[in-house]
Amino acid sequence: MKILVCVKQVPDTNEVKIDPVKGTLIRDGVPSILNPDDANALEAALMLKDKDPDVEIAVLTMGPPQAGYMLRECLAMGADEAYLLSDRAFGGADTCATSTTIAAGIRKVEGVDVIFAGRQAIDGDTAQVGPQVAQRLGIPVVTYVQSIRMDEDKVTVQRQMEDGYEVVEVKLPCLLTCVKELNEPRYMSVGGIVDAYQKDITVWNHMDVELDPADCGLNASPTQVFRSFTPPQKGKGEMLSGTVQEMAEALVGKLAEKHLV
């Protein structure tokens, strides 16, 4: 069985700041990481490989050349192959154009039985790319997967819902998007890191995956980000003390001063 895991390199959101004048993300000096939900998807594939050594795992991403470092991390965790879709023609893509490119890359990877992906990326939070990739490939998709049982020609999963879960059985090939509750991603091993830098990363451009520049990147993106901004800072809060009655009277008095009551 061959499992392909869609991964993405994202900025560490704990470090992201927004330019107050331009309204754009300040990426200078911001570390990039493997998208957390994608790490859960990779771990799910690795756990299946632990049970069956014949399982082969490929990881695929779309991004700039530096995304290769993130792919090396995936190889160090235990993936067998890595593919990078990198081309200026892919730049500025929204979820629609991104899914077109990723689907084209998956078609070029031979023998894929099932595709794993994270629920969503922390830099966009749309949760759209996984289902869109499945739609473009013409295969079924199950989202918010919190448990996986793989059989020879089908997979049975628990799909997370607000008030519980539902059990879904789907035939292969299919695409599953994974949530963080699915597992705890493993760390890279020293031996894995050494092996990762002895493996080649396959890099493909738009010609390699047979895409016209008009069908990918900014040219094929019907949606664009108009502006990013941080909410205005709120004023400093004030703590009241005393009995409940005293605090209530003080609160009403302060609201009356501001003509709010």
Side-chain angles (χ1 to χ4, degrees):
M1 174 178 288
K2 185 166 187 175
I3 302 173
L4 185 140
V5 184
C6 296
V7 295
K8 184 180 182 182
Q9 186 182 54
V10 296
D12 189 342
T13 52
N14 292 325
E15 303 291 338
V16 168
K17 297 180 181 179
I18 294 179
D19 188 314
V21 177
K22 297 180 180 178
T24 56
L25 293 177
I26 301 174
R27 295 181 179 270
D28 293 341
V30 177
S32 295
I33 60 173
L34 169 63
N35 182 58
D37 285 351
D38 297 346
N40 294 112
L42 176 57
E43 177 61 25
L46 293 171
M47 291 174 68
L48 292 172
K49 185 178 177 67
D50 290 340
K51 295 178 181 179
D52 182 2
D54 290 333
V55 170
E56 185 179 354
I57 300 173
V59 289
L60 180 145
T61 191
M62 184 187 86
Q66 57 263 35
Y69 293 106
M70 180 266 299
L71 291 176
R72 296 279 181 200
E73 180 180 343
C74 296
L75 292 171
M77 291 172 68
D80 301 297
E81 303 172 354
Y83 298 89
L84 172 59
L85 300 166
S86 187
D87 192 322
R88 287 187 179 275
F90 301 152
D94 66 355
T95 61
C96 182
T98 296
S99 62
T100 297
T101 303
I102 292 176
I106 293 174
R107 290 190 191 98
K108 192 171 176 65
V109 179
E110 297 180 353
V112 176
D113 297 295
V114 61
I115 304 165
F116 289 174
R119 172 191 56 175
Q120 61 192 52
I122 59 175
D123 59 346
D125 284 339
T126 64
Q128 295 174 354
V129 173
Q132 287 178 352
V133 169
Q135 188 273 333
R136 296 189 187 287
L137 292 174
I139 60 176
V141 56
V142 183
T143 55
Y144 301 96
V145 171
Q146 66 176 19
S147 175
I148 299 173
R149 188 178 78 245
M150 191 73 68
D151 295 314
E152 185 175 348
D153 61 348
K154 66 180 180 180
V155 58
T156 304
V157 304
Q158 291 181 5
R159 183 175 185 269
Q160 188 181 80
M161 305 182 73
E162 291 183 358
D163 55 351
Y165 66 87
E166 62 180 355
V167 177
V168 180
E169 183 179 282
V170 60
K171 290 187 177 181
L172 302 181
C174 65
L175 187 149
L176 309 176
T177 71
C178 307
V179 298
K180 63 180 180 180
E181 290 81 5
L182 177 61
N183 53 49
E184 184 68 30
R186 67 191 65 187
Y187 291 102
M188 298 177 286
S189 65
V190 175
I193 295 173
V194 174
D195 292 341
Y197 279 88
Q198 294 177 345
K199 295 180 180 178
D200 293 328
I201 293 177
T202 303
V203 181
W204 288 329
N205 58 28
H206 74 276
M207 292 183 291
D208 295 319
V209 294
E210 300 180 0
L211 278 180
D212 190 303
D215 297 327
C216 54
L218 186 61
N219 294 328
S221 299
T223 59
Q224 298 179 27
V225 176
F226 174 69
R227 182 168 61 98
S228 299
F229 63 93
T230 54
Q233 292 185 348
K234 297 181 179 180
K236 184 179 179 181
E238 180 180 350
M239 298 294 294
L240 300 177
S241 60
T243 65
V244 174
Q245 184 175 355
E246 291 172 343
M247 289 189 291
E249 291 177 352
L251 177 60
V252 172
K254 292 182 178 295
L255 293 175
E257 290 176 4
K258 297 181 178 293
H259 304 289
L260 296 176
V261 295

